[in-house]
Amino acid sequence: MSDPMLREKKFLKPVLHILEEKSHDRNSIVRQMAVRGLGNLVYGAPEKLKKHKKFLMVILIRALSDPFSSEVIGESMKAVAKVLKELKEKDIGSSFRDLTQEIRTYFDNEDDALRLWSFVLFGILARLTKRKWKGYFAEQVRQSWVTLLLHLEDPNPRVSVECRATFHLCVPFLGLKRLQTAVNEHLDGTAELKPEELQVDICRHLAKENAELLENLYKSTIMYFFSRWEEIRAVAVKLAGSWHHPGTHRQAAYEMAEPGPSADVTLQFLKKDPSPSVQLVATEVLNDICPGRVLGE
């Protein structure tokens, strides 16, 4: 696919037809190689990429949901990344919507490589988004930003690094200037991230700028109390604790309801989590938010 011969129309069209056909093959390795070949069109005939962009995106997005092979999915993610880097927002067309939704399904995938590439792709989309899809992508960010915040402490360090870059790119889509400034102070440069300070700052600024989004953060965080990863469960509990940090509630634009019994009961349950680190964090948060309560009651 890197051969300059592909720049000739008489060779390129037959090759693309063959690769499209092989992307449906029963053998997953053949499907994987077909997807890789389509992505490598970027090297062989980059000037032909925009002409065939719709053809490519349809095949690659379909491969993102391959039901039998994570290798095919991962290969498709890499191919999409190559293609997107050569396109502009207007070139992606209606594929933007399908691509964004498909990528988000892998944020919590148990496969480290798929999580990593999903964050990479979401970051590329954030860079590409200018006008046409800005409103749509902003809504996708609103639905995903708590997940990104939690995966800043992903159990895999490489995934955590990619997530940090993507989170930084996505925060502006929330449309909250003071929050964006606060996040930039934590994420600019290469300094070591201090997650708990970042969480407290985010909650404090949301209380000033958007109490509804703060409430949404809390509700989304509770869902991660049952994550398969003990690191993410612990981060979720700490983030829930940041919601109660002094100054957060008092500065809210309007009075928000205290977390219901379900959150309290869940934290009590997490005190018996298989992970000692989760037990410790749950106990500390309960002590902070229910200081007068006897632990275990």
Side-chain angles (χ1 to χ4, degrees):
M1 292 302 291
S2 298
D3 198 311
M5 189 183 296
L6 280 182
R7 297 178 184 180
E8 298 182 34
K9 184 177 179 180
K10 64 180 180 179
F11 293 117
L12 180 59
K13 285 193 113 178
V15 168
L16 291 178
H17 175 73
I18 291 170
L19 290 175
E20 192 277 335
E21 182 181 295
K22 294 301 181 182
S23 72
H24 296 275
D25 198 274
R26 294 179 62 182
N27 188 309
S28 64
I29 296 177
V30 174
R31 296 199 303 278
Q32 181 182 357
M33 293 300 101
V35 168
R36 181 181 297 180
L38 289 168
N40 285 341
L41 180 64
V42 168
Y43 306 128
E47 71 280 3
K48 302 290 186 181
L49 193 65
K50 289 188 178 181
K51 180 179 179 180
H52 298 283
K53 59 184 182 293
K54 185 175 181 180
F55 170 85
L56 289 171
M57 294 306 294
V58 168
I59 299 172
L60 296 178
I61 291 174
R62 187 192 66 236
L64 284 175
S65 56
D66 190 286
F68 303 111
S69 172
S70 61
E71 287 78 13
V72 173
I73 296 170
E75 200 69 59
S76 181
M77 288 181 167
K78 295 174 187 177
V80 169
K82 294 175 187 175
V83 172
L84 288 181
K85 288 178 180 178
E86 301 299 321
L87 300 177
K88 296 180 180 179
E89 180 188 38
K90 64 180 181 179
D91 298 322
I92 305 174
S94 59
S95 296
F96 189 100
R97 188 184 303 273
D98 295 335
L99 180 58
T100 305
Q101 292 177 355
E102 198 65 48
I103 289 169
R104 287 183 55 216
T105 65
Y106 293 101
F107 284 174
D108 289 316
N109 195 278
E110 61 184 15
D111 187 311
D112 290 358
L114 297 187
R115 286 202 314 285
L116 184 148
W117 277 101
S118 70
F119 293 137
V120 170
L121 285 173
F122 207 67
I124 292 174
L125 288 176
R127 289 191 186 95
L128 277 174
T129 303
K130 303 298 181 186
R131 298 180 64 182
K132 181 177 180 180
W133 292 101
K134 187 174 182 179
Y136 174 77
F137 192 72
E139 181 56 34
Q140 296 299 302
V141 170
R142 277 178 168 263
Q143 295 177 29
S144 309
W145 78 286
V146 176
T147 300
L148 295 172
L149 178 59
L150 292 170
H151 279 281
L152 290 175
E153 296 184 72
D154 191 278
N156 184 306
R158 290 185 61 219
V159 177
S160 176
V161 169
E162 291 298 341
C163 185
R164 173 175 175 163
T166 295
F167 183 75
H168 202 177
L169 288 168
C170 288
V171 168
F173 288 93
L174 294 174
L176 304 172
K177 295 296 185 182
R178 285 183 292 184
L179 175 65
Q180 183 179 336
T181 300
V183 170
N184 287 345
E185 291 176 359
H186 288 275
L187 298 183
D188 278 342
T190 57
E192 182 181 354
L193 179 65
K194 297 179 179 178
E196 291 185 45
E197 292 183 10
L198 172 63
Q199 292 169 5
V200 170
D201 274 354
I202 286 175
C203 289
R204 184 180 293 119
H205 281 278
L206 283 181
K208 295 177 180 177
E209 292 190 78
N210 194 317
E212 183 181 354
L213 195 58
L214 177 61
E215 185 76 1
N216 172 263
L217 177 149
Y218 188 80
K219 291 176 180 177
S220 299
T221 300
I222 290 175
M223 302 292 290
Y224 282 90
F225 284 3
F226 304 98
S227 169
R228 66 172 64 89
W229 299 292
E230 63 179 82
E231 295 91 342
I232 297 297
R233 293 199 301 277
V235 176
V237 173
K238 285 188 285 187
L239 181 53
S242 297
W243 196 81
H244 294 273
H245 192 273
T248 297
H249 276 111
R250 289 195 297 269
Q251 294 170 12
Y254 58 84
E255 185 167 350
M256 294 181 293
E258 288 292 325
S262 59
D264 190 11
V265 169
T266 303
L267 285 168
Q268 292 285 357
F269 175 77
L270 287 174
K271 285 169 55 184
K272 299 178 182 179
D273 190 274
S275 166
S277 62
V278 176
Q279 292 178 22
L280 179 61
V281 173
T283 300
E284 291 175 346
V285 170
L286 275 170
N287 279 336
D288 288 341
I289 66 177
C290 309
R293 181 174 300 177
V294 179
L295 290 176
E297 68 178 358

